[in-house]
Tab-separated table of all heavy atoms in Angstrom:
chain	number	residue	atom	x	y	z
E	1272	ARG	N	-64.738	75.827	39.918
E	1272	ARG	CA	-63.307	75.593	39.819
E	1272	ARG	C	-62.681	76.146	41.084
E	1272	ARG	O	-62.949	77.283	41.475
E	1272	ARG	CB	-62.759	76.312	38.584
E	1272	ARG	CG	-61.252	76.176	38.433
E	1272	ARG	CD	-60.806	76.600	37.038
E	1272	ARG	NE	-59.408	76.262	36.814
E	1272	ARG	CZ	-58.417	77.157	36.886
E	1272	ARG	NH1	-58.670	78.417	37.178
E	1272	ARG	NH2	-57.176	76.781	36.672
E	1273	THR	N	-61.877	75.342	41.723
E	1273	THR	CA	-61.237	75.769	42.954
E	1273	THR	C	-59.766	76.000	42.689
E	1273	THR	O	-59.061	75.095	42.278
E	1273	THR	CB	-61.397	74.693	44.048
E	1273	THR	OG1	-62.767	74.313	44.122
E	1273	THR	CG2	-60.959	75.236	45.377
E	1274	VAL	N	-59.327	77.204	42.917
E	1274	VAL	CA	-57.917	77.483	42.703
E	1274	VAL	C	-57.244	77.801	44.031
E	1274	VAL	O	-57.846	78.381	44.933
E	1274	VAL	CB	-57.694	78.654	41.721
E	1274	VAL	CG1	-58.181	78.290	40.345
E	1274	VAL	CG2	-58.346	79.900	42.232
E	1275	TYR	N	-56.003	77.400	44.113
E	1275	TYR	CA	-55.215	77.565	45.326
E	1275	TYR	C	-54.042	78.483	45.011
E	1275	TYR	O	-53.433	78.394	43.948
E	1275	TYR	CB	-54.714	76.208	45.803
E	1275	TYR	CG	-55.844	75.233	46.052
E	1275	TYR	CD1	-56.351	74.466	45.018
E	1275	TYR	CD2	-56.400	75.105	47.308
E	1275	TYR	CE1	-57.396	73.582	45.235
E	1275	TYR	CE2	-57.450	74.231	47.533
E	1275	TYR	CZ	-57.940	73.469	46.489
E	1275	TYR	OH	-58.977	72.607	46.706
E	1276	ARG	N	-53.776	79.343	45.954
E	1276	ARG	CA	-52.746	80.343	45.721
E	1276	ARG	C	-51.958	80.561	47.010
E	1276	ARG	O	-52.529	80.583	48.096
E	1276	ARG	CB	-53.421	81.649	45.303
E	1276	ARG	CG	-52.554	82.590	44.510
E	1276	ARG	CD	-53.385	83.776	44.024
E	1276	ARG	NE	-54.487	83.362	43.158
E	1276	ARG	CZ	-55.783	83.477	43.453
E	1276	ARG	NH1	-56.165	84.027	44.582
E	1276	ARG	NH2	-56.702	83.060	42.602
E	1277	LEU	N	-50.675	80.753	46.875
E	1277	LEU	CA	-49.838	81.024	48.038
E	1277	LEU	C	-50.086	82.454	48.510
E	1277	LEU	O	-50.164	83.378	47.706
E	1277	LEU	CB	-48.372	80.862	47.634
E	1277	LEU	CG	-47.346	80.581	48.720
E	1277	LEU	CD1	-47.639	79.277	49.419
E	1277	LEU	CD2	-45.961	80.563	48.104
E	1278	THR	N	-50.195	82.632	49.803
E	1278	THR	CA	-50.285	83.990	50.325
E	1278	THR	C	-48.886	84.501	50.636
E	1278	THR	O	-47.916	83.749	50.604
E	1278	THR	CB	-51.108	84.022	51.630
E	1278	THR	OG1	-50.396	83.282	52.620
E	1278	THR	CG2	-52.486	83.452	51.429
E	1279	ASP	N	-48.792	85.777	50.956
E	1279	ASP	CA	-47.499	86.323	51.359
E	1279	ASP	C	-47.003	85.620	52.615
E	1279	ASP	O	-45.820	85.307	52.744
E	1279	ASP	CB	-47.633	87.827	51.627
E	1279	ASP	CG	-47.803	88.599	50.322
E	1279	ASP	OD1	-47.613	87.990	49.246
E	1279	ASP	OD2	-48.121	89.797	50.380
E	1280	ALA	N	-47.946	85.386	53.525
E	1280	ALA	CA	-47.577	84.691	54.759
E	1280	ALA	C	-47.032	83.302	54.446
E	1280	ALA	O	-46.058	82.852	55.053
E	1280	ALA	CB	-48.779	84.586	55.691
E	1281	GLY	N	-47.677	82.650	53.491
E	1281	GLY	CA	-47.234	81.323	53.099
E	1281	GLY	C	-45.851	81.357	52.475
E	1281	GLY	O	-44.991	80.518	52.779
E	1282	ALA	N	-45.636	82.328	51.621
E	1282	ALA	CA	-44.335	82.463	50.970
E	1282	ALA	C	-43.262	82.735	52.016
E	1282	ALA	O	-42.145	82.215	51.939
E	1282	ALA	CB	-44.373	83.587	49.948
E	1283	HIS	N	-43.659	83.530	53.000
E	1283	HIS	CA	-42.715	83.862	54.057
E	1283	HIS	C	-42.367	82.628	54.888
E	1283	HIS	O	-41.204	82.356	55.174
E	1283	HIS	CB	-43.298	84.956	54.945
E	1283	HIS	CG	-42.354	85.447	55.988
E	1283	HIS	ND1	-42.646	85.386	57.335
E	1283	HIS	CD2	-41.110	85.977	55.889
E	1283	HIS	CE1	-41.623	85.871	58.017
E	1283	HIS	NE2	-40.684	86.244	57.165
E	1284	ALA	N	-43.399	81.905	55.262
E	1284	ALA	CA	-43.199	80.688	56.054
E	1284	ALA	C	-42.322	79.708	55.285
E	1284	ALA	O	-41.452	79.050	55.862
E	1284	ALA	CB	-44.542	80.047	56.388
E	1285	LEU	N	-42.551	79.634	54.009
E	1285	LEU	CA	-41.789	78.726	53.169
E	1285	LEU	C	-40.321	79.142	53.097
E	1285	LEU	O	-39.412	78.315	53.174
E	1285	LEU	CB	-42.408	78.712	51.768
E	1285	LEU	CG	-42.142	77.532	50.850
E	1285	LEU	CD1	-42.302	76.207	51.583
E	1285	LEU	CD2	-43.051	77.602	49.648
E	1286	ALA	N	-40.103	80.440	52.980
E	1286	ALA	CA	-38.733	80.946	52.926
E	1286	ALA	C	-38.009	80.667	54.240
E	1286	ALA	O	-36.846	80.254	54.255
E	1286	ALA	CB	-38.737	82.440	52.633
E	1287	LEU	N	-38.736	80.877	55.330
E	1287	LEU	CA	-38.165	80.588	56.640
E	1287	LEU	C	-37.808	79.115	56.766
E	1287	LEU	O	-36.742	78.749	57.270
E	1287	LEU	CB	-39.188	80.954	57.735
E	1287	LEU	CG	-38.841	82.119	58.648
E	1287	LEU	CD1	-38.395	83.324	57.844
E	1287	LEU	CD2	-40.030	82.483	59.537
E	1288	TYR	N	-38.737	78.306	56.307
E	1288	TYR	CA	-38.519	76.865	56.365
E	1288	TYR	C	-37.288	76.472	55.548
E	1288	TYR	O	-36.440	75.713	56.006
E	1288	TYR	CB	-39.743	76.119	55.844
E	1288	TYR	CG	-39.569	74.623	55.817
E	1288	TYR	CD1	-39.689	73.879	56.980
E	1288	TYR	CD2	-39.271	73.965	54.641
E	1288	TYR	CE1	-39.514	72.502	56.965
E	1288	TYR	CE2	-39.089	72.593	54.617
E	1288	TYR	CZ	-39.223	71.867	55.783
E	1288	TYR	OH	-39.034	70.512	55.769
E	1289	ARG	N	-37.208	77.011	54.363
E	1289	ARG	CA	-36.071	76.717	53.506
E	1289	ARG	C	-34.761	77.090	54.195
E	1289	ARG	O	-33.813	76.311	54.235
E	1289	ARG	CB	-36.198	77.475	52.176
E	1289	ARG	CG	-34.913	77.480	51.377
E	1289	ARG	CD	-35.086	78.033	49.975
E	1289	ARG	NE	-35.764	79.322	49.873
E	1289	ARG	CZ	-35.253	80.484	50.229
E	1289	ARG	NH1	-34.046	80.539	50.785
E	1289	ARG	NH2	-35.942	81.589	50.068
E	1290	ASP	N	-34.722	78.285	54.750
E	1290	ASP	CA	-33.505	78.728	55.416
E	1290	ASP	C	-33.156	77.835	56.600
E	1290	ASP	O	-32.008	77.465	56.801
E	1290	ASP	CB	-33.667	80.175	55.887
E	1290	ASP	CG	-33.761	81.126	54.704
E	1290	ASP	OD1	-33.457	80.701	53.575
E	1290	ASP	OD2	-34.148	82.294	54.908
Side-chain angles (χ1 to χ4, degrees):
Chain E
R1272 177 166 190 258
T1273 310
V1274 295
Y1275 303 86
R1276 204 174 299 114
L1277 202 62
T1278 65
D1279 288 349
H1283 185 239
L1285 201 45
L1287 247 49
Y1288 177 78
R1289 166 171 50 72
D1290 293 347

